[in-house]
Amino acid sequence: MKKYFFIMFLLGLSSVALAQTSKATSEDFNEFFKKFNSDSKFQISRVIFPLKYKANNEDFELLDYTMTKEKYKVLHLNNKADEKYLKRTLSVKKSKATLEERGLDSGIYIDYIFELKDNKWFLKTFVDQST
């Protein structure tokens, strides 16, 4: 009986240690974002495919679309040269991050949504309401 309680005690300790390790090893969003924008292979590995997104059609109706890995074009979401005509705002929460791109004197209006999944960040979707 004592062995049973001792084993249960050890299992309990190991699960607590594992849970603490999992929380402590969540990927830092800023490090992820830097690599996401500088390494195309890494970027493609961190997009949830098929990528579901929303975009305006010709009549400016927001519709649902799906993109395969083969149709995906690598994004450059931290290009300094774009700052002349784009304003970017990044909001990072516990398990979700949103990058808002707004055109300065243009109709660009895109939100990129990232999600923390198994302690790694992924591009989950985007919403393009550009005109």
Side-chain angles (χ1 to χ4, degrees):
M1 188 70 164
K2 287 183 182 180
K3 285 183 182 179
Y4 174 76
F5 285 118
F6 182 70
I7 291 171
M8 294 304 289
F9 175 73
L10 287 178
L11 286 173
L13 280 179
S14 64
S15 65
V16 168
L18 184 61
Q20 288 175 344
T21 302
S22 297
K23 288 179 185 174
T25 59
S26 288
E27 184 174 38
D28 177 71
F29 183 81
N30 292 324
E31 291 298 317
F32 155 78
F33 193 67
K34 188 176 180 180
K35 191 168 182 180
F36 186 86
N37 287 289
S38 64
D39 182 340
S40 60
K41 288 181 182 179
F42 177 77
Q43 183 175 130
I44 290 168
S45 75
R46 292 303 190 87
V47 176
I48 298 172
F49 288 107
L51 180 61
K52 296 179 181 179
Y53 66 98
K54 292 181 183 281
N56 283 337
N57 66 7
E58 303 83 34
D59 296 323
F60 301 109
E61 298 169 317
L62 196 60
L63 299 177
D64 294 324
Y65 296 93
T66 302
M67 185 184 307
T68 63
K69 187 185 262 189
E70 296 74 30
K71 298 280 186 183
Y72 182 78
K73 290 187 169 71
V74 174
L75 301 170
H76 302 283
L77 301 175
N78 65 350
N79 189 350
K80 295 285 184 202
D82 294 344
E83 292 176 0
K84 295 175 188 171
Y85 63 92
L86 277 180
K87 178 183 178 198
R88 292 187 175 109
T89 306
L90 180 63
S91 169
V92 181
K93 306 281 192 225
K94 204 172 195 178
S95 61
K96 181 181 175 184
T98 303
L99 175 68
E100 298 176 349
E101 281 190 342
R102 303 296 182 258
L104 304 173
D105 300 322
S106 73
I108 297 173
Y109 195 100
I110 308 170
D111 292 343
Y112 297 93
I113 294 113
F114 297 87
E115 171 182 80
L116 187 63
K117 184 176 176 183
D118 297 327
N119 294 323
K120 293 181 180 179
W121 287 100
F122 291 86
L123 175 62
K124 181 181 181 182
T125 189
F126 66 89
V127 180
D128 184 350
Q129 297 181 69
S130 301
T131 57

